[in-house]
Amino acid sequence: MERKYSYDVVVVGGGAAGIGAAVGAAQTGARTLLVEKNPYFGGAATHSSVLTYCGFFTQGEPYEQIVGGVGQQVLNQLAKMGMYNGPRRTARTRTVIVPLDPEVTKVALDRCIMESKVEPLLHAQVIAAEVQQGRIRAIQCIDHAGPFVIEAGAFVDASGEANLTSLAGGGVVFGDDQGHLQSATLMIRIGGVLAEADAHPLKVEEAVQKGKAAGIVGLTKELGTVVRMPGCGDVLAILCDEEVNGLEAASLTRAEISARNQAWAYLEAFKRFLPGFENAYLVQTGPQIGIRETRHVVGEYCLKGEDVLEARRFSDAIARGGWPVELHPEPGAPNVWHQIKDQSFYDIPLRSLKVNGVDNLWAAGRTIDCDPIAFASARVMGTAFATGHAAGVAAALTSSSGQADAQAVRAELLRQEAII
Ligand SMILES: Cc1cc2nc3c(=O)[nH]c(=O)nc-3n(C[C@H](O)[C@H](O)[C@H](O)COP(=O)(O)OP(=O)(O)OC[C@H]3O[C@@H](n4cnc5c(N)ncnc54)[C@H](O)[C@@H]3O)c2cc1C
C-alpha cells in the first residue's frame, strides 16, 4: 500500500538551519515535518563533529548577542543540561564561540523539536520532488521499506547541499562562479591529553612542522582551529583538509579514506612532538568528513561580500550575521580571515532565502544565496539557526496565506523573540 502523508510545512535537513526552520514554522502554527537522513539531528555539529556554534555573537569587546529565537531555545536546552553558561573566546583568533558536547547536543535538539510539536522523521532521505505550476506539490522520500510521498503547502531546503532545490528544478550554483569550493575537513577528536598540556594552535603548528620534518606522511594543514572540549578535556582539531566534491559518492569515498590516514598521521605528530600528548589516542573522526560548500540556491538577492564586510542593513532583514569572513581556500593552506566593519554585524535579507522559480520553497543555512565572501561568514551554525528560523516562518505564512511578505515575517520573528 502506498504511504502518503500531508503537512502544512516540510523542512528537508535537520542541521542548525533545519531545526531553526521546523521549530519556527511550528511556532507560527504550521503542522510541520522535519525530514533528516541521519539517525539524529544536528547536521555538521553531530554528524561531522563540528562542535562549536559560531555566529551567535559579534566579535567586538564587549561582544553582543545577535541570534535569539529558536537559536536561544537551543542554548537554553544546552544550559539546562549544564553545557552552556555563556560563550568563550578562542585562544588564537579571539573569536566568540559556544563549545558543544555531541551527545548533549543531540538530546537538546530532540527536546527543542518535541517541545515545539514538530513532527520528527529520521532515517528518511528526500529523493524527488513533484512540481506543478511552479510549486512543489509533494516530495518523495525513501527508507528501508521503500519510497513514500509527503505533500505540503510549503517547503524549506535546509539540506546543506540545496538538494531539494535541485530536485525541484530551482536555480542552483556549484561553489563560486568558477565551480571552486571551500576545502573540506575531517574533524579529529583526541583523548588522553594531560590537563596541563598546551594545545594552543601555534604549539600545534610547531608539532605538525616537526612531524613533517621527521617524515610523517599525510599531514596537510599546519595552522588551524584547535579547541578543548567542555567537560571531558578532549582536544578537537580542524586540520585534516581534503579537496572533494561533496555531492558525489566516489569523490567522498576517496576523501574519507585519505582523511582518515591524515588523522593517524596527526596523532603520531602530536604524540611525538606535543608535550602532554604522549599517551593521546584518537577518540573519533567525523563520523562524516565536514563539507563546507557544494551548491547554493539562486534567490531574489545574492548577499555580497561588501554587504557583510561593510555591515550593511536591509529593510527586509530577517537575520543577523556576525562571524568574520573565514575562507578555507585549498587543502593545507592557512585560513584567510576578514573582519566585519567595527566587528559589528550585517543583516541578511529575506530575498536571499527565496528560491527563484519555485513559489513555495525557501532556503536556509549554508544553501542561501551568497557570493563566496558572504558565504564564508553566513555559513556558520549560529547564523544558520537564524536564517532557518526565518525560512520556517516564511514557509508557514506561505502555506497558510499563499505568500510571505517581509514585514509579516519580521513581525512573527519578533513575536518569537528572534533578534533582527
Ligand atoms: C570542517 C568544518 C568546520 C566548521 N566549523 C564550524 C564551526 O566551528 N562553527 C560553526 O558554527 N560552523 C562551522 N562550520 C560551518 C557549519 O558547520 C555549516 O555551514 C552548517 O552546519 C550549516 O548548517 P546547515 O543546517 O545549513 O547544514 P548542515 O549542518 O550540513 O545540515 C544539513 C542536513 O541536511 C541533511 N540532508 C541533506 N540532504 C538530505 C536529504 N536529501 N534528505 C534528508 N536529509 C538530508 C543532512 O544529513 C544534514 O543533517 C564548519 C564546517 C565544516 C565542514
Side-chain angles (χ1 to χ4, degrees), residues 277-321:
F277 280 67
E278 292 78 6
N279 297 315
Y281 54 91
L282 205 48
V283 177
Q284 191 182 34
T285 60
Q288 184 193 287
I289 191 167
I291 300 298
R292 286 193 176 80
E293 182 176 25
T294 57
R295 301 186 190 103
H296 308 268
V297 308
V298 178
E300 290 177 355
Y301 180 79
C302 178
L303 188 71
K304 302 196 178 49
E306 306 90 87
D307 298 330
V308 166
L309 294 170
E310 290 169 20
R312 284 195 184 142
R313 307 290 194 259
F314 293 95
S315 59
D316 62 337
I318 45 70
R320 291 178 176 179

Side-chain angles (χ1 to χ4, degrees), residues 12-18 35-38 40-45 47-48 50-55 97 124-127 158-161 163-164 167 183-187 225 238 289-293 323 326 328 364-367 375 378-382 384:
V12 176
V35 185
E36 167 57 55
K37 67 183 168 61
N38 291 334
Y40 36 72
F41 296 108
H47 200 54
S48 295
V50 178
L51 292 171
T52 49
Y53 281 151
C54 303
I97 60 165
Q125 181 163 3
V126 178
I127 54 165
S159 67
E161 327 301 350
N163 284 336
L164 178 57
L167 291 167
S183 57
T185 311
L186 183 71
M187 306 292 282
T225 305
I238 315 184
I289 191 167
I291 300 298
R292 286 193 176 80
E293 182 176 25
W323 190 249
E326 181 193 344
H328 294 252
R366 67 186 165 94
T367 66
F375 171 70
R379 65 192 174 86
V380 294
M381 293 181 282

Side-chain angles (χ1 to χ4, degrees), residues 31-341:
R31 281 189 61 242
T32 304
L33 180 76
L34 176 57
V35 185
E36 167 57 55
K37 67 183 168 61
N38 291 334
Y40 36 72
F41 296 108
T46 52
H47 200 54
S48 295
S49 298
V50 178
L51 292 171
T52 49
Y53 281 151
C54 303
F56 270 96
F57 299 88
T58 60
Q59 309 305 313
E61 196 63 73
Y63 53 74
E64 179 190 347
Q65 184 161 352
I66 49 168
V67 176
V70 181
Q72 182 61 49
Q73 290 169 234
V74 172
L75 295 181
N76 293 345
Q77 290 289 353
L78 294 171
K80 270 193 212 163
M81 298 183 72
M83 273 292 164
Y84 177 69
N85 61 3
R88 72 173 204 225
R89 285 193 186 264
T90 55
R92 189 176 67 91
T93 56
R94 308 298 298 154
T95 40
V96 184
I97 60 165
V98 176
L100 300 170
D101 171 273
E103 294 305 321
V104 171
T105 306
K106 285 179 194 168
V107 171
L109 298 177
D110 288 346
R111 290 179 183 169
C112 275
I113 288 164
M114 301 317 285
E115 283 180 14
S116 62
K117 310 267 186 290
V118 169
E119 193 153 324
L121 188 64
L122 296 167
H123 292 282
Q125 181 163 3
V126 178
I127 54 165
E130 189 196 320
V131 179
Q132 281 177 1
Q133 291 165 340
R135 297 173 73 79
I136 302 177
R137 199 193 65 77
I139 56 172
Q140 192 179 48
C141 298
I142 193 153
D143 60 16
H144 295 299
F148 56 98
V149 169
I150 308 171
E151 300 170 341
F155 295 81
V156 176
D157 187 345
S159 67
E161 327 301 350
N163 284 336
L164 178 57
T165 307
S166 174
L167 291 167
V172 290
V173 288
F174 183 70
D176 65 10
D177 22 11
Q178 264 86 55
H180 180 262
L181 302 168
Q182 289 218 17
S183 57
T185 311
L186 183 71
M187 306 292 282
I188 49 175
R189 175 173 167 185
I190 294 169
V193 180
L194 293 182
E196 60 273 23
D198 186 355
H200 190 283
L202 294 175
K203 295 278 181 212
V204 173
E205 182 187 29
E206 246 177 75
V208 178
Q209 286 167 346
K210 286 181 185 163
K212 283 185 176 175
I216 300 174
V217 177
L219 301 166
T220 53
K221 187 175 258 172
E222 296 173 3
L223 183 60
T225 305
V226 183
V227 289
R228 283 266 187 182
M229 289 179 61
C232 62
D234 287 355
V235 168
L236 199 68
I238 315 184
L239 294 167
C240 305
D241 281 353
E242 293 287 337
E243 192 173 303
V244 53
N245 177 346
L247 299 180
E248 290 183 0
S251 180
L252 282 161
T253 304
R254 186 210 55 76
E256 298 278 10
I257 290 171
S258 164
R260 271 195 286 278
N261 277 322
Q262 284 203 53
W264 287 95
Y266 277 99
L267 180 69
E268 186 186 342
F270 296 167
K271 282 170 78 103
R272 285 172 61 185
F273 301 113
L274 253 185
F277 280 67
E278 292 78 6
N279 297 315
Y281 54 91
L282 205 48
V283 177
Q284 191 182 34
T285 60
Q288 184 193 287
I289 191 167
I291 300 298
R292 286 193 176 80
E293 182 176 25
T294 57
R295 301 186 190 103
H296 308 268
V297 308
V298 178
E300 290 177 355
Y301 180 79
C302 178
L303 188 71
K304 302 196 178 49
E306 306 90 87
D307 298 330
V308 166
L309 294 170
E310 290 169 20
R312 284 195 184 142
R313 307 290 194 259
F314 293 95
S315 59
D316 62 337
I318 45 70
R320 291 178 176 179
W323 190 249
V325 168
E326 181 193 344
L327 292 153
H328 294 252
E330 59 185 294
N335 308 346
V336 177
W337 295 83
H338 301 290
Q339 286 298 338
I340 297 168
K341 185 179 169 199

Side-chain angles (χ1 to χ4, degrees), residues 358-420:
V358 188
D359 289 349
N360 60 345
L361 178 60
W362 296 86
R366 67 186 165 94
T367 66
I368 67 168
D369 192 357
C370 286
D371 78 8
I373 299 292
F375 171 70
S377 165
R379 65 192 174 86
V380 294
M381 293 181 282
T383 315
F385 279 117
T387 56
H389 191 175
V393 168
L397 297 179
T398 306
S399 175
S400 63
S401 65
Q403 57 171 0
D405 163 72
Q407 296 315 318
V409 174
R410 282 172 53 82
E412 179 60 21
L413 283 170
L414 287 170
R415 191 190 70 77
Q416 294 185 27
E417 298 182 0
I419 300 173
I420 53 174

